[in-house]
Amino acid sequence: MGCFGFLKVMMFVFNGIIFLAGAAILGVGIWVKVDSGSILSFLGKIENAPTELSQVLNVGYLLIAIGALLLVIGFLGCCGAVRESTCMLLLFFIIVLVVFIAEVAGAVVILVFRPLADELFTKFGAAAVQNIRKDYGKNPDVTGLWNTTMSSLKCCGFYNSSDFVDSPYYVDHGEQYPPQCCLGIDSPCNQTVADSTITGCFPKIKKLIDDNTVVIVAVALGIAVLEICAMAVSMSLFCRIKSRG
């Protein structure tokens, strides 16, 4: 197998993986939009949540768009390499280039508007705490969704266990906290026990992101390198096929 054949095989395998990843992401996006019991529907039920949060609720559409885009990219890359189609390879190169430019622009926007994101999280946190103190223990939907979230993430409240103070559950159960706040503890779940065994959901998620910042950056850089390599290989095949034609 010569260099040209090797590039064709690598192009086919690489884009086959992209195609499968796109199908998976598309499936997740469809599931998010269809599943009314997901975390996103829970966020949408929080009263007085900041209006900017409505953009987050569209993440299902975003996943569907990303999945569809990856399907198209994978299809063009695979078929372009197998059929030696200069049109498909050129279109593949253009789409990947546009995606790469959009990613760079998005990274710049995130860095510039990070203070705005912090303000959004602060507003959302206040709305989430208010939602707990008003409806937890009284509204079955809100109670069930919070219980599912806390059980899945092994956390208690949005910031900490004090979010449940004066909630219907707290009042009706003699100033006790939900059992999810005292995992593995048989004694009554009071604030002392809750604070010593578990942390809030938002601090836990934030810590998880902070602890994995290096991994996230490495993955982002890896994706950028793969996109550059894909563009280089597609253009090499394009030039080679065109010169042979």
Side-chain angles (χ1 to χ4, degrees):
M1 181 186 296
C3 181
F4 179 71
F6 175 76
L7 289 179
K8 284 181 60 177
V9 171
M10 291 302 298
M11 190 75 173
F12 178 83
V13 172
F14 175 74
N15 285 283
I17 296 174
I18 289 180
F19 186 87
L20 295 176
I25 293 175
L26 181 63
V28 172
I30 294 174
W31 170 76
V32 168
K33 296 308 299 179
V34 171
D35 184 12
S36 60
S38 65
I39 295 295
L40 296 179
S41 67
F42 161 61
L43 297 178
K45 292 179 181 179
I46 295 180
E47 295 182 4
N48 300 321
T51 55
E52 296 90 340
L53 189 63
S54 61
Q55 301 304 317
V56 179
L57 300 179
N58 292 326
V59 68
Y61 294 117
L62 177 62
L63 291 176
I64 292 174
I66 292 175
L69 179 62
L70 290 178
L71 283 175
V72 172
I73 291 176
F75 174 78
L76 290 174
C78 288
C79 290
V82 173
R83 295 174 60 86
E84 297 186 4
S85 170
T86 56
C87 179
M88 286 185 174
L89 289 172
L90 182 60
L91 188 56
F92 171 86
F93 175 85
I94 293 174
I95 293 177
V96 174
L97 178 61
V98 171
V99 171
F100 180 77
I101 294 174
E103 289 172 348
V104 173
V108 172
V109 170
I110 290 175
L111 292 175
V112 172
F113 291 98
R114 184 168 181 175
L116 183 62
D118 293 338
E119 181 181 351
L120 174 61
F121 283 126
T122 300
K123 290 181 180 179
F124 175 66
V129 173
Q130 182 180 354
N131 174 257
I132 291 175
R133 292 179 176 173
K134 178 182 178 183
D135 293 324
Y136 187 86
K138 181 176 67 174
N139 186 316
D141 292 335
V142 172
T143 303
L145 286 167
W146 269 112
N147 287 342
T148 301
T149 302
M150 293 189 294
S151 297
S152 301
L153 299 179
K154 292 181 173 55
C155 56
C156 176
F158 188 82
Y159 290 115
N160 50 50
S161 61
S162 64
D163 296 341
F164 292 96
V165 174
D166 296 330
S167 68
Y169 182 95
Y170 182 86
V171 173
D172 294 341
H173 289 77
E175 299 185 354
Q176 297 298 311
Y177 294 86
Q180 289 82 1
C181 294
C182 299
L183 293 176
I185 305 296
D186 295 329
S187 59
C189 187
N190 54 42
Q191 186 167 7
T192 302
V193 177
D195 290 343
S196 64
T197 58
I198 203 166
T199 186
C201 296
F202 178 70
K204 187 163 188 176
I205 294 174
K206 188 174 184 299
K207 184 177 184 301
L208 181 64
I209 295 175
D210 292 340
D211 292 345
N212 293 278
T213 300
V214 175
V215 176
I216 295 173
V217 172
V219 170
L221 291 176
I223 292 174
V225 171
L226 286 176
E227 289 173 342
I228 293 173
C229 291
M231 288 188 288
V233 171
S234 64
M235 187 51 63
S236 298
L237 288 174
F238 173 83
C239 295
R240 184 72 175 270
I241 294 171
K242 192 171 182 179
S243 63
R244 284 171 53 186

